[in-house]
Amino acid sequence: MAAAFIPLAQYTCAMLLWSDSPINIQPHPDDSGPIPAALVWNPRTYRVLTAIGGFPLAGALGLYIAIAAGGAYTILRIINPSFRLTTGVDWNRWLLFKTYMHTAPLIKVTVTIVPVLVAVFFLAYGVASALPGGPAATVLTAMLVGASVWLALSRNGFVGDCESGNYLLPSPSEMISLCLRGSTFGAVIWLLIYAVMEVEPAALLRMGRALGGLGEAGWRPLAALWLGTAGLAGASAVLTALGLGTPGLDRTRRAGYGLAGVVLALVLGVGTQRGMPAYAASRLDYSWRTGQAIVPRWWSALPNSEALRVWVAVPVGGSWRVRDVSSVGISEAALSDATLHQIREHLSHRRFRSALSNSAYMALYEAACRDFDPRGRMQVAREALARLGDASFLRLFLAELWTQAGSPEARNALDVLRNPATVVYLTDDAHLPSGDLCARNGSIPDALGWYRKAGLPASRAEERAARLTPFLDTAVSGRVRGLPPSWRLRVGLVPEAAELTLLMRADKPTELSPMMLREIVRAAATDPTGRFRLSGMPEGRYLPVLWISAPANSRRVYLHVAGAASAVHVNAARPAWDLGVLSVSASEPD
């Protein structure tokens, strides 16, 4: 476990904690605002990991050698209790003052093992040359090394009693027994190394990152799995050595130890080679071999019965411009009701712990964007932030609080900013964005509280809050006519300088991505008479936007929109606007 902690710290630093690392898998959160609670690290853990992970190569190699030497000494003491590094230590009541070096036995061990290992090297080289590449050559090499160590260094082998100067060859039957026991131990060590390397830290951290934001809370189970596997591997090696090479134990105890060690090695080998990939695939939708999410077939399937056509119309240069909206977004999921329902069911079945969770929530968010559903956008961003702890969904959530400022959904969602289980603040200045959001949503007492935490003087805090407070008693109304009965229509408002309006001004017709519609500030469906009313907008210049959906049998249709095609400037001087009558007509292509 001590040896395994070194690469764990190194990979954790390189993949999570060092933002400038070329193998970083998670952008470092900016501490100038709130960050997801799932990304937080305890300062003590952070210092330990960075101290060990930042070791120079020579320092890490020195630790590996020291730990490996300790393990080798333990195994040698098991197979030959007469092996010593010292004969003892003298001390008085105050000070350790004399150590007796065990020079002669060390020379005996070295003189014996070096020529044996040279012979094993050439023998293993010949075996590797004769066999094709794969595990067969490596396991045979491990068995040869184990047999040679047992034959040379065990109590009944060439060395015999380390205290004596005799080099007595074992009997032929004893030699065969030593080779069999040593080769068994070598095979067990090979299996343990194979098992441990299957769950190496880099693979574990990639899997953890695929499930969402990865901070200390998500890192601890992965670290425990890696260190626990290494610790069980060490226990298996010691138990196997006790069973195969301890002269002082009775046969029953030796057999019990050896069986326990071999069984533990087999469990680790099968568990990491078979169990881990199977669990990752069946419970987490994660391919252990490729490091990618396993996407089910239904994910991108769009049934013909649900292939609705959606248009967006925006006034540009005095006339209305119409664009198609894609039915598949950046999540590559089909944004149909059936697929979205299946995504929800799949996440619930996985208890929202899946490598598909990020893409699934993005699909739900895109669907809310495509359907002109600001309330749905807020709900999805809020839920994804709480369940995944990913910084990307925190940015979406904060953007929704700003975009939908003044709406009941935005004011209700402000509670998330005070929930330490969801977001945390690493610095005093990080409280400022939360104060701005509260001020923009009209919650002045909360805004002043956040500014106070940020260290702003009372006068500056009140001035800043007053500057951000929107004028909420506003309304934009009108009427839409001419739409076929089977079609659906919603009306929304988008800021005049939004990315959507800039894209609609382009001369080249372009199919809109659903994410382009995330800038819709307000949206509402028309009543049976075609009337609509949008209220509670912050001050600003907006363009009306029409969302029109047609059934699948209306794929080839040209849309025409006529009526007021200018921006509305909502402010205190003119809080109410009437867009009049907007006419929508559809024509078949020639």
Side-chain angles (χ1 to χ4, degrees):
M1 292 177 70
F5 189 76
I6 300 172
L8 174 65
Q10 291 172 331
Y11 275 110
T12 301
C13 290
M15 300 176 74
L16 296 177
L17 303 182
W18 293 339
S19 58
D20 56 347
S21 169
I23 61 172
N24 184 276
I25 59 175
Q26 180 172 264
H28 204 273
D30 184 7
D31 60 3
S32 62
I35 69 170
L39 301 183
V40 175
W41 289 83
N42 184 286
R44 185 178 302 173
T45 306
Y46 185 89
R47 286 194 296 268
V48 170
L49 290 174
T50 53
I52 296 179
F55 269 10
L57 191 59
L61 182 60
L63 282 177
Y64 278 127
I65 292 174
I67 296 170
Y73 177 74
T74 301
I75 299 300
L76 288 176
R77 285 281 292 161
I78 289 173
I79 67 176
N80 194 338
S82 65
F83 178 74
R84 298 283 195 282
L85 290 179
T86 66
T87 56
V89 176
D90 289 344
W91 65 89
N92 58 24
R93 60 181 299 185
W94 304 111
L95 183 67
L96 176 77
F97 70 90
K98 186 182 293 184
T99 300
Y100 300 97
M101 297 306 298
H102 206 61
T103 307
L106 288 176
I107 294 175
K108 183 178 182 181
V109 168
T110 303
V111 170
T112 303
I113 195 61
V114 168
V116 172
L117 291 180
V118 171
V120 168
F121 171 78
F122 285 105
L123 184 59
Y125 183 78
V127 170
S129 301
L131 292 175
T138 58
V139 71
L140 283 177
T141 301
M143 293 173 68
L144 284 173
V145 173
S148 65
V149 170
W150 240 253
L151 188 61
L153 300 182
S154 67
R155 185 66 176 81
N156 298 329
F158 293 162
V159 170
D161 186 359
C162 290
E163 302 288 346
S164 72
N166 298 324
Y167 292 85
L168 299 177
L169 292 176
S171 64
S173 60
E174 185 66 25
M175 189 178 299
I176 294 174
S177 174
L178 290 173
C179 289
L180 289 176
R181 283 185 282 166
S183 60
T184 301
F185 182 78
V188 168
I189 294 297
W190 175 87
L191 181 61
L192 293 174
I193 295 175
Y194 196 54
V196 169
M197 294 308 297
E198 183 65 19
V199 291
E200 61 177 349
L204 288 173
L205 293 175
R206 289 192 185 94
M207 183 180 72
R209 179 66 182 96
L211 302 180
L214 189 57
E216 184 171 353
W219 172 85
R220 283 183 178 273
L222 304 176
L225 177 59
W226 164 249
L227 296 177
T229 302
L232 291 175
S236 174
V238 171
L239 288 172
T240 305
L242 287 171
L244 298 176
T246 307
L249 294 178
D250 61 80
R251 184 171 298 178
T252 303
R253 292 180 64 186
R254 287 173 59 184
Y257 286 141
L259 181 62
V262 173
V263 169
L264 183 55
L266 290 174
V267 169
L268 286 174
V270 174
T272 55
Q273 292 294 317
R274 304 280 184 177
M276 177 60 72
Y279 176 81
S282 62
R283 297 300 305 166
L284 303 176
D285 302 310
Y286 181 78
S287 173
W288 188 258
R289 306 301 179 191
T290 64
Q292 302 293 327
I294 300 175
V295 181
R297 293 183 178 179
W298 51 263
W299 185 266
S300 56
L302 188 64
N304 290 331
S305 60
E306 300 214 12
L308 299 180
R309 186 171 184 182
V310 175
W311 296 272
V312 166
V314 177
V316 175
S319 62
W320 289 82
R321 186 164 291 181
V322 181
R323 292 281 190 272
D324 285 284
V325 181
S326 173
S327 58
V328 177
I330 60 177
S331 62
E332 299 183 356
L335 304 182
S336 64
D337 291 341
T339 303
L340 296 173
H341 176 74
Q342 203 160 358
I343 286 176
R344 276 285 185 189
E345 291 292 323
H346 189 78
L347 287 180
S348 178
H349 180 68
R350 292 286 192 266
R351 297 182 179 180
F352 301 93
R353 295 290 292 171
S354 167
L356 290 171
S357 294
N358 196 295
S359 297
Y361 275 114
M362 187 57 67
L364 296 173
Y365 183 81
E366 288 179 312
C369 293
R370 185 173 185 255
D371 293 342
F372 266 33
D373 184 9
R375 178 184 300 177
R377 296 193 331 241
M378 180 71 75
Q379 290 175 346
V380 171
R382 181 175 182 172
E383 182 181 349
L385 170 61
R387 294 191 182 278
L388 301 184
D390 196 291
S392 61
F393 286 105
L394 174 62
R395 289 191 293 270
L396 278 181
F397 175 71
L398 297 179
E400 291 297 338
L401 287 178
W402 188 268
T403 300
Q404 300 185 46
S407 67
E409 292 76 24
R411 288 195 292 269
N412 292 335
L414 290 174
D415 292 340
V416 175
L417 301 176
R418 294 189 293 269
N419 185 358
T422 304
V423 295
V424 296
Y425 301 86
L426 300 183
T427 64
D428 290 343
D429 289 344
H431 298 92
L432 287 175
S434 295
D436 293 343
L437 289 170
C438 288
R440 182 168 168 83
N441 280 279
S443 182
I444 302 303
D446 291 337
L448 296 178
W450 287 115
Y451 292 150
R452 186 165 52 251
K453 291 181 179 180
L456 284 184
S459 58
R460 288 187 57 195
E462 293 175 358
E463 178 186 352
R464 182 165 181 155
R467 188 171 63 249
L468 291 169
T469 302
F471 182 81
L472 302 178
D473 190 14
T474 56
V476 175
S477 58
R479 182 185 175 190
V480 180
R481 67 181 182 184
L483 196 71
S486 61
W487 291 24
R488 293 185 296 162
L489 183 140
R490 292 190 180 97
V491 182
L493 291 176
V494 64
E496 189 178 32
E499 184 181 4
L500 172 63
T501 60
L502 296 177
L503 184 63
M504 294 293 283
R505 292 190 180 100
D507 294 332
K508 183 179 179 181
T510 304
E511 190 177 50
L512 297 177
S513 166
M515 285 292 286
M516 292 292 181
L517 308 181
R518 70 186 184 278
E519 300 166 306
I520 302 301
V521 176
R522 296 290 187 274
T526 56
D527 65 12
T529 64
R531 296 189 176 277
F532 63 89
R533 187 176 189 275
L534 305 171
S535 61
M537 289 79 63
E539 291 184 343
R541 293 181 63 85
Y542 301 96
L543 289 176
V545 185
L546 298 185
W547 177 91
I548 306 165
S549 176
N553 57 5
S554 305
R555 296 293 291 176
R556 295 183 59 80
V557 170
Y558 289 148
L559 274 182
H560 307 276
V561 180
S566 59
V568 295
H569 187 191
V570 177
N571 53 33
R574 189 175 178 183
W577 284 75
D578 187 356
L579 297 179
V581 177
L582 304 178
S583 177
V584 179
S585 60
S587 62
E588 295 289 338
D590 296 335

